[in-house]
Amino acid sequence: MSYRKEPKKVFHRQRGIVDQHAISMLEPRIDGSDEGILATLIQLKFLGASAQVFREPEEQVNALALRGLLPLNEGTWSEVVTELIRDSEMRVTFLDSEKRLSGNSRNLDLWASRVSDELPKDDPGTWMLYGNGRALVGNSDVREIGHFSSEPSFIDAPTLTCGSSALIHRYMMEQGAFLSEKISDCWLTMTTRVDGVEPEDAVRQVNSRFGAGTATYTSDGAGSLVRFRIPLSESPESLLWQIDPERKPPAEPLASPIDVGPLPAITESGAFSFEPEAELPASIVDADTMVLGAGGLGAWAVPLILSGCDPRSARITIVDGDPEVEEHNLNRQVLYRSDDIGKPKAYAAKERILERFELNRESVRSFPFMLEAHHCSGASESDVEMIDIVDLSIDPIEENNAKVEGITEALDSMQVALSCLDNQFARTTLNRGCNDRGVTMVNGGCEGTVGLVEAFSGDSCMVCSYGAEEALSSEQISCQEEGTRPVSSIVTTSSYVGSMMACTALCILARQRGIDVPMPQAKDVVDGVVSDRESGPLPWFVGGCRTHL
């Protein structure tokens, strides 16, 4: 089955990372648990690939753990997959399940399941096992991992998403789909020539509806060339990305499995273990969460946090200043579909989670504007200072005091905050508001195939961890065209970071309730490799940081 209603520019932001034509030709054969297969299909759909799955179309499926990510989480495989791939060019072919049951798995490309499920008897290709907050990805004999019990828990959905993100990233590496050199952006320009005029004068004299231009001398020095960037929305698809960059060679199979989950599945001695350190709860009751940014990270973090909370008592606040969902957001931002294009992200995100969770409308607050320092401090916008040196003012999109009061009330009631933002200054603003309220901030960021997740509580902050100059930088590193520095983006990185942020936040909420669960370590992810991140104050801040004390 397939649909062909894909917005043409949906993959614009990942074309500088992967060979999109090569991705579109991928059609891996997948098996495993129902939820493992579906989590893998979600990743492949956002990349623009297709798939073959060992399931019968009329076989029943129940993927309740993924309800925040799927348009339909129960029904027949045909029904669930049809809704998943709607508005995309993805093809999903159902393979005869008798071949799967024959014991021959050598025709598999990917396997994804719980560690407690029955494992394949032969080589399953590239595989992922998850459970109890842990996940492994490997190419070797999956049976060497052993069998562990795994009960459903509040961090299943983010753990599975971490694992499936890493699995598909690894698979693309093995297929040689990544470019040798990353390209941050690609655009078209309209160029005009003005003879006998200096560039600084020409750029003032020649105007365009596309905004301000840039000017240089002509090659003969007789005049100026004034260039205007054509917006992506008005650029013909046939003229974009007419380049032929080199691809990296296919990656060699992993010699041993890699640890990709929130909690460690490989012990210090090198043994594999999915044994839980403590009993994990099924869900968190009375959670109140704030998520700043509903884009590449927040669009994953929001539904994955709610997947681990009791919907009857959960409250969540979504703050995002993007005025509209754009086509090129749809390759990685799981909350949005083509019918959301043009809507403010904060509102579109709210409506989507109300569709997928049994939440009271009043329990979901959304604000379509940027967080400002006076929201956090309660002071007036005219006298707020950030770290004694930076004056802040309210964003022009904010129209009335009721909105200011609403976001201040949300800040005052939040139990944990997630910073899914595109610049350091905004993160520092939220961090200060969290420290003033004694609330932990989970910080995440990603650019291309690089990402990080960390948490700031009372012992450190953005300033003493990054230095004042970096923490107060207003450079907007964004997938949006208006960003100071546009960056490439791909779903395997953004979904990994967003899901790790959600898992960290859920564990913080559990500990607040006296539940003794282990805390995920801060993480770095670089080109598919996950490692623990060194976090904490910079050496010269030892002895105290006046910003957060």
Side-chain angles (χ1 to χ4, degrees):
M1 62 180 64
S2 65
Y3 283 81
R4 297 194 173 275
K5 300 178 183 178
E6 190 80 58
K8 293 182 178 180
K9 301 177 180 69
V10 66
F11 302 117
H12 179 74
R13 290 298 172 202
Q14 70 188 42
R15 287 181 181 269
I17 301 175
V18 295
D19 182 329
Q20 192 58 43
H21 176 71
I23 293 292
S24 69
M25 301 300 290
L26 294 178
E27 197 171 6
R29 293 160 295 188
I30 310 169
D31 202 354
S33 66
D34 287 357
E35 289 177 345
I37 293 173
L38 285 168
T40 304
L41 290 179
I42 290 170
Q43 296 289 323
L44 291 169
K45 176 216 170 180
F46 281 107
L47 287 167
S50 295
Q52 305 172 71
V53 297
F54 283 97
R55 288 293 189 273
E56 297 291 344
E58 300 309 312
E59 194 176 340
Q60 290 291 312
V61 59
N62 189 321
L64 187 61
L66 295 175
R67 63 191 182 278
L69 309 182
L70 290 169
L72 182 67
N73 62 70
E74 59 182 356
T76 66
W77 270 95
S78 178
E79 292 167 342
V80 171
V81 169
T82 296
E83 279 303 302
L84 172 63
I85 67 176
R86 181 171 59 86
D87 292 352
S88 80
E89 295 186 353
M90 186 181 197
R91 300 179 306 278
V92 177
T93 303
F94 294 105
L95 301 178
D96 187 353
S97 61
E98 290 300 318
K99 295 180 181 178
R100 169 171 56 91
L101 299 174
S102 68
N104 177 16
S105 60
R106 293 188 183 279
N107 60 350
L108 281 180
D109 297 304
L110 297 168
W111 174 279
S113 74
R114 278 186 181 273
V115 70
S116 55
D117 293 334
E118 183 179 354
L119 301 180
K121 298 176 181 179
D122 297 314
D123 176 16
T126 306
W127 52 262
M128 184 275 294
L129 298 180
Y130 83 100
N132 300 328
R134 295 159 171 81
L136 289 174
V137 168
N139 297 108
S140 57
D141 186 354
V142 68
R143 292 172 298 174
E144 70 176 349
I145 305 303
H147 184 83
F148 297 88
S149 61
S150 174
E151 297 297 326
S153 80
F154 74 130
I155 54 174
D156 274 355
T159 301
L160 173 55
T161 304
C162 283
S164 59
S165 303
L167 172 69
I168 296 304
H169 196 98
R170 182 69 204 176
Y171 174 70
M172 289 194 298
M173 292 173 64
E174 294 167 358
Q175 299 302 308
F178 284 96
L179 303 184
S180 297
E181 296 294 334
K182 298 182 180 69
I183 301 170
S184 61
D185 202 359
C186 178
W187 64 86
L188 303 181
T189 59
M190 178 179 68
T191 305
T192 62
R193 176 174 175 134
V194 183
D195 288 319
V197 179
E198 297 290 316
E200 58 269 24
D201 295 324
V203 78
R204 290 194 301 269
Q205 295 173 10
V206 181
N207 301 308
S208 169
R209 66 183 179 85
F210 295 141
T214 60
T216 59
Y217 284 107
T218 58
S219 59
D220 58 11
S224 300
L225 297 176
V226 184
R227 298 179 175 87
F228 300 92
R229 175 170 177 162
I230 300 175
L232 179 62
S233 59
E234 299 192 40
S235 299
E237 180 73 10
S238 61
L239 297 181
L240 280 170
W241 294 103
Q242 297 302 310
I243 53 179
D244 189 22
E246 292 184 0
R247 288 161 55 179
K248 290 182 179 180
E252 294 293 328
L254 291 166
S256 59
I258 56 174
D259 205 336
V260 299
L263 305 177
I266 302 177
T267 66
E268 292 183 0
S269 64
F272 304 118
S273 177
F274 281 75
E275 290 293 345
E277 300 172 21
E279 184 177 352
L280 300 176
S283 63
I284 299 297
V285 178
D286 291 325
D288 191 331
T289 306
M290 171 173 280
V291 179
L292 263 74
L297 304 183
W300 292 89
V302 167
L304 290 172
I305 286 174
L306 290 172
S307 297
C309 296
D310 185 339
R312 295 169 297 182
S313 60
R315 296 177 300 280
I316 193 164
T317 301
I318 304 167
V319 182
D320 193 292
D322 283 350
E324 61 182 27
V325 176
E326 299 183 66
E327 288 185 12
H328 63 83
N329 298 147
L330 302 183
N331 77 320
R332 63 200 177 281
Q333 298 182 17
V334 70
L335 283 180
Y336 312 116
R337 309 196 75 164
S338 59
D339 54 5
D340 293 312
I341 293 173
K343 299 176 183 177
K345 278 188 182 177
Y347 292 156
K350 175 178 179 175
E351 294 305 317
R352 184 69 71 237
I353 62 174
L354 287 172
E355 288 176 8
R356 296 181 180 177
F357 294 93
E358 297 175 358
L359 295 163
N360 295 320
R361 176 167 288 273
E362 296 75 22
S363 66
V364 183
R365 295 171 289 197
S366 61
F367 298 94
F369 52 80
M370 305 299 294
L371 182 75
E372 301 290 345
H374 60 277
H375 298 146
C376 300
S377 68
S380 67
E381 60 186 278
S382 61
D383 62 3
V384 171
E385 290 188 344
M386 188 69 173
I387 316 177
D388 298 333
I389 57 174
V390 180
D391 292 326
L392 299 172
S393 61
I394 196 165
D395 191 277
I397 198 171
E398 211 171 306
E399 296 176 353
N400 55 61
N401 291 331
K403 292 180 179 179
V404 178
E405 293 172 1
I407 198 169
T408 302
E409 290 172 0
L411 285 161
D412 290 340
S413 69
M414 66 182 177
Q415 298 163 0
V416 65
L418 282 76
S419 170
C420 306
L421 299 161
D422 57 13
N423 71 87
Q424 295 289 66
F425 184 74
R427 293 184 176 101
T428 303
T429 301
L430 176 61
N431 189 197
R432 180 62 179 269
C434 288
N435 282 333
D436 288 346
R437 292 164 174 81
V439 172
T440 299
M441 182 186 89
V442 181
N443 183 46
C446 69
E447 178 177 339
T449 58
V450 177
L452 67 89
V453 181
E454 59 192 349
F456 292 112
S457 53
D459 56 347
S460 62
C461 73
M462 287 289 297
V463 172
C464 60
S465 295
Y466 288 89
E469 182 177 356
E470 171 67 15
L472 298 174
S473 171
S474 58
E475 180 186 32
Q476 192 175 0
I477 302 172
S478 176
C479 65
Q480 306 293 344
E481 283 190 88
E482 65 268 19
T484 306
R485 179 162 64 86
V487 296
S488 54
S489 305
I490 194 166
V491 67
T492 51
T493 306
S494 58
S495 63
Y496 185 87
V497 173
S499 56
M500 188 67 73
M501 293 178 72
C503 192
T504 302
L506 286 167
C507 289
I508 291 169
L509 291 168
R511 287 198 164 195
Q512 290 173 356
R513 287 150 179 77
I515 305 172
D516 187 21
V517 299
M519 278 299 302
Q521 295 294 310
K523 299 289 185 185
D524 283 317
V525 55
V526 180
D527 295 332
V529 177
V530 180
S531 60
D532 289 344
R533 176 179 177 81
E534 293 293 332
S535 58
L538 296 167
W540 53 87
F541 277 96
V542 173
C545 169
R546 68 190 179 94
T547 301
H548 74 268
L549 294 180

